[in-house]
Amino acid sequence: MPRKSSVTPSPARASTRPEPRTRPRTSGGFQSTVLVLQGGGALGAYQAGVYEALAAAGIAPDWVAGISIGAINSALIAGNRPEDRVARLRAFWEQVSSGHETPWSGLVGDGWPGTLPGGAWMRGLLNQFAAGEVMLRGAPGFFTPRTPPPVLRPPGTAGATSWYETAELRRTLERLVDFDRINHGEPRFSVGAVNVRTGNFTYFDNRTTTIRPEHVMASGALPPAFEAVEIDGEPYWDGGLVSNTPLDWVLNARTELDTLVFQVDLWSARGEAPQDLAEVAVRMKEIQFSSRTRAATDAFRRMQTLRASFNALLDKMPEELRNTPEARLLARASDPAVYNIVQLIYQSATYEGQSKDYEFSRTTMEEHWQAGRRDAERTLAHPEVLTPPARAFAVQTFDFTSAAGHGRSTPLPLDSLT
């Protein structure tokens, strides 16, 4: 099906603009569906719940991109048959939370924080105990403490740069992820990591790289908890050190396809001013790892407005001007694809503290998973989410998970760019 356009191309323009790529329409009339997963450790069960709801609605991504825990969830999705993906996500999250059952789990799961005086405060204290247990014991199938610890190891020796080792994660990935399927190329798969020596951010993409477990592990190698992962002789750390979301990578790919993006964030950029040091620590993490998702989408909307303006101007140019190298260059960058960017942002419970990204108790994992599923179901209940914009170059953004939830479309007025 041809892509929508706000103008009728003339023969001269057709010779200037490259022929767009085409693909059958998928979710809600879009040609491509992308799932973008932010980093956030134990909070990643929220993303699994979101995916479960998307799968139940028949929405299958053509491209999965992630950072850190988002990279692991991405591998579990892209590396399995569609009918097996939710089960493999469940297997991973049940394994990493299996060592942290507590005698009070049943009480908490039945809504204890809301039924007893001071319940939220007590639940927060119990969460801190559970997080402390993870620090001492690790998470099964994910990471284990180093013995002896790094401070007792000579500089430059194995294990001297991290508190935990992740051999178990490699075995878990090899058991739950079919890397041959990922390297087959459908869906597209991308994970981000940072080169320790150069500081450069790198994306490992199955269109250009043979993906192995170490690419996924490198994306989640957050120091000083985890050591750098070597890939082709270079050490890599967690991509969240530079950008905790691959949204920019996706939006700048210029696939020339009408695209539906589900951006699943684990850290909210918006929040209240902290009232004590504990809240300061939480708010610092939220700001650091939220990665300015809204700024990225707003910048992209502005760029699409500029592309739309040039597209309209191109049709008014005389033929000799349209065929100049400058006009041809701009034409190639002005494909009239449309985008819906659907944001699902995890909203932390009041009792979750600064350790929420490494609190792997089974009860909390289930809460995160169910929150993701509820948020996705509530979002998909809005039909406009799956409806492409009517105007070429338009970008609609939606957020029904936060107090600032909204839906809007572009192009922006030209005077808003000045």
Side-chain angles (χ1 to χ4, degrees), residues 177-227:
V177 176
D178 182 348
F179 284 91
D180 288 338
R181 176 175 288 272
I182 288 180
N183 290 312
H184 186 264
E186 293 293 338
R188 185 174 178 179
F189 173 84
S190 308
V191 294
V194 178
N195 187 303
V196 177
R197 290 195 178 98
T198 66
N200 292 335
F201 194 91
T202 301
Y203 277 101
F204 300 110
D205 191 293
N206 64 352
R207 292 197 172 179
T208 57
T209 303
T210 300
I211 301 298
R212 305 185 297 271
E214 51 264 40
H215 294 101
V216 180
M217 295 171 67
S219 184
L222 183 65
F226 307 138
E227 70 179 349

Side-chain angles (χ1 to χ4, degrees), residues 112-126 351:
W112 183 21
T115 58
L116 290 180
W121 175 86
M122 181 59 71
R123 176 61 192 280
L125 182 61
L126 297 180
Y351 50 77

Side-chain angles (χ1 to χ4, degrees), residues 249-263:
W249 170 257
V250 167
L251 295 180
N252 290 324
R254 308 300 299 148
T255 61
E256 302 181 0
L257 300 172
D258 292 343
T259 301
L260 172 63
V261 179
F262 289 96
Q263 161 75 20

Side-chain angles (χ1 to χ4, degrees), residues 2 4 68-69 105 125 185 192 207 213 218 222 275 287-288 376 378:
K4 302 179 291 298
S68 197
I69 197 65
S105 294
L125 182 61
R207 292 197 172 179
L222 183 65
Q275 302 298 309
I287 293 172
Q288 178 182 0
R378 183 166 64 250

Side-chain angles (χ1 to χ4, degrees), residues 3 64 83-84 120 143 196 238 269 289 362 389 397 411:
R3 182 178 290 104
V64 186
E83 61 268 30
D84 296 331
F143 58 89
V196 177
D238 192 307
F289 292 119
R362 175 63 61 82
T397 62

